[in-house]
Amino acid sequence: MKNYLKKISLLFLLACFTVQARAQFEGVQITPDAKISLITCSSGDDLYAVFGHSAVRVQDPTLGMDVIFNYGTFDFNEPNFYLKFARGKLNYKLSAAHFSDFVYSYAQDNRSVFEQELNLTPEQKQKYWLFLTNNYLPANRFYLYDFFFDNCATRIRDGLEATFPDQIKYNIDHLDKDYSFRNLIDLYLPPQPWGDFGIDIALGARIDKEATPYEYMFLPDYLSQGFANATIEQNGQAVQLTGKPVTVFVQQPPAEQPFSLFIPTILCWILFVVVAAVTLLNLKNNRRSRTLDFILFFAAGLLGIVMLLLWFATDHQATAYNFNLLWAIPTHAIAAIYIGRKVVPAWAAKYMAITGLITGILTISWWLLPQEPHAAFIPLGLTLFLRAEYIAWFEKKKELVAAKV
């Protein structure tokens, strides 16, 4: 709670400084002494911050101005905020604040801040300044956020290219590691095992396509590397786009995270072992744990419904074509009601046999599909396969016994 209140306070302070900065840009032209830089911030502890952050600093000592332009802000007071966020319709905006306050907020979160000055002529600085201030106008500052293709990093890259069309060249082929978008975000997720699990469950096959080095720059670290290896045309010659990174603030070494069993993969294997043990006891005692079956398949069905809504009821591109729906089948939520009863309809038993077989085949052949699974899927798939087939077998056995009688 203390950390939460601290972050809310910092956001409030930054909002106040943004209001003060707003009137400073009207009719302002920066001087030749001005400096424009790419600012890159390191990962934070929270999932939303783990991928880092990018912003643009404009410093003009002659005007006494030192301001940060930040494309990564949004308004909590926007009507239907959470619904818009879930549906992919939340507007992010370009904000502006004093640079010292921006750095203070990141220092409070123990996140490093690095600066790369853009190697621009006075004319180019003025041109980019006009782009930024025009982008900051109330009519222009809002945009529909997309984590992979339109975010705080890509807005800076695309804005610079729009200001200087066909004048910036990236020499980044050496960055090519044959990464998919999922591989790229996985680089940042070891400290966030539950975030990694949620992302792999919610995001579909679209993020498993191989990304180009240019597309890597949706991540702030790769934007920094991309700018460091780029050139810009000046008077018919190509010059380096940025200077070497300078450390503005360096984080203290984070505390080593203790080993924890409370991570998705381990817990899912524990679930499989428990369910396998219950199934063996059921087999020995000639019975079926109906409550277990109801909970297991109702939960899988609800999860599938969420995935289906993320695919078809939102504007999120990355949630489409989610092959997790082959095991978290939305109709499980309906079937669970019937398999939780003492008398199971014949169709429900057949449904379990068919879907269980699908899940079993999927578990051993996922590598054939165009989507990389989370490691926890293997025990989850085995668990659902085991219980589905046991339900089908048990109900068939009951039917045969009843027929003999």
Side-chain angles (χ1 to χ4, degrees), residues 37-48:
S37 307
L38 171 68
I39 300 297
T40 304
C41 305
S42 67
S43 298
D45 294 332
D46 300 307
L47 181 60
Y48 74 87

Side-chain angles (χ1 to χ4, degrees), residues 178-195:
D178 298 327
Y179 286 143
S180 67
F181 288 97
R182 195 185 302 273
N183 295 151
L184 286 164
I185 60 178
D186 280 348
L187 297 174
Y188 293 82
L189 291 173
Q192 297 279 349
W194 286 100

Side-chain angles (χ1 to χ4, degrees), residues 37 39 55-58 66-70 95-99 102:
S37 307
I39 300 297
V56 176
R57 179 188 187 184
V58 180
D66 194 356
V67 66
I68 194 85
F69 287 90
N70 182 358
S95 64
H98 297 303
F99 181 67
F102 175 86

Side-chain angles (χ1 to χ4, degrees), residues 121-395:
T121 65
E123 293 78 15
Q124 288 175 327
K125 292 175 187 177
Q126 183 62 38
K127 192 172 183 181
Y128 187 46
W129 165 254
L130 290 175
F131 172 85
L132 288 172
T133 53
N134 180 67
N135 228 201
Y136 185 65
L137 293 174
N140 301 331
R141 68 175 60 142
F142 293 94
Y143 71 98
L144 198 60
Y145 177 86
D146 184 286
F147 177 76
F148 294 99
F149 302 108
D150 200 355
N151 66 9
C152 66
T154 62
R155 280 266 151 175
I156 296 171
R157 179 198 64 193
D158 297 347
L160 206 63
E161 292 174 1
T163 307
F164 309 110
D166 302 320
Q167 296 177 51
I168 298 175
K169 306 296 181 186
Y170 298 98
N171 306 297
I172 51 177
D173 287 345
H174 65 284
L175 298 180
D176 194 354
K177 306 293 184 184
D178 298 327
Y179 286 143
S180 67
F181 288 97
R182 195 185 302 273
N183 295 151
L184 286 164
I185 60 178
D186 280 348
L187 297 174
Y188 293 82
L189 291 173
Q192 297 279 349
W194 286 100
D196 184 29
F197 178 69
I199 286 171
D200 281 343
I201 292 295
L203 303 189
R206 277 187 170 173
I207 71 166
D208 288 281
K209 87 175 185 72
E210 185 176 328
T212 65
Y214 181 81
E215 290 173 324
Y216 289 8
M217 287 189 279
F218 79 92
L219 291 166
D221 287 340
Y222 280 101
L223 179 69
S224 175
Q225 292 182 58
F227 275 27
N229 290 277
T231 60
I232 185 168
E233 188 176 315
Q234 292 178 358
N235 301 318
Q237 292 185 334
V239 301
Q240 286 297 119
L241 177 60
T242 69
K244 293 183 178 180
V246 175
T247 301
V248 178
F249 172 79
V250 62
Q251 67 182 154
Q252 298 298 315
E256 186 175 344
Q257 295 295 320
F259 176 76
S260 174
L261 293 175
F262 191 70
I263 61 175
T265 303
I266 292 177
L267 290 181
C268 287
W269 276 113
I270 292 174
L271 173 66
F272 170 70
V273 170
V274 170
V275 170
V278 170
T279 305
L280 286 174
L281 287 174
N282 285 173
L283 187 63
K284 180 180 178 181
N285 299 324
N286 193 33
R287 63 184 299 272
R288 181 171 68 85
S289 299
R290 299 195 306 273
T291 302
L292 170 66
D293 293 332
F294 171 78
I295 293 173
L296 192 62
F297 287 94
F298 190 72
L302 285 182
L303 188 59
I305 291 170
V306 172
M307 293 181 201
L308 204 63
L309 290 174
L310 285 172
W311 183 348
F312 291 103
T314 75
D315 291 340
H316 295 295
Q317 297 183 49
T319 55
Y321 307 106
N322 192 340
F323 286 90
N324 284 305
L325 284 162
L326 292 175
W327 62 268
I329 304 173
T331 49
H332 279 353
I334 298 173
I337 297 172
Y338 292 93
I339 63 173
R341 297 175 179 176
K342 188 172 183 179
V343 178
V344 176
W347 69 263
K350 291 178 181 177
Y351 171 88
M352 285 290 110
I354 294 170
T355 58
L357 184 61
I358 291 172
T359 302
I361 293 172
L362 185 70
T363 304
I364 62 175
S365 61
W366 187 281
W367 57 273
L368 293 173
L369 297 177
Q371 180 174 334
E372 183 178 334
H374 190 277
F377 160 69
I378 302 300
L380 278 177
L382 290 173
T383 301
L384 293 170
F385 164 74
L386 177 62
R387 283 312 291 185
E389 294 306 321
Y390 182 78
I391 292 168
W393 174 84
F394 184 82
E395 295 303 320

Side-chain angles (χ1 to χ4, degrees), residues 23-31 60 63 65 126 129-130 133:
Q24 296 179 10
F25 307 141
E26 296 178 5
V28 172
Q29 289 193 343
I30 57 176
T31 70
D60 193 329
L63 297 178
M65 179 176 66
Q126 183 62 38
W129 165 254
L130 290 175
T133 53

Side-chain angles (χ1 to χ4, degrees), residues 3 6-15 17 41 44 48-49 53 68 70 73 97-113 249:
N3 288 335
K6 179 183 74 173
K7 290 179 181 180
I8 293 296
S9 300
L10 290 172
L11 288 172
F12 176 75
L13 287 173
L14 286 176
F17 289 120
C41 305
Y48 74 87
H53 185 55
I68 194 85
N70 182 358
T73 54
H98 297 303
F99 181 67
S100 58
D101 301 306
F102 175 86
V103 174
Y104 175 76
S105 69
Y106 279 84
Q108 289 296 295
D109 280 344
N110 194 31
R111 297 174 63 182
S112 295
V113 180
F249 172 79

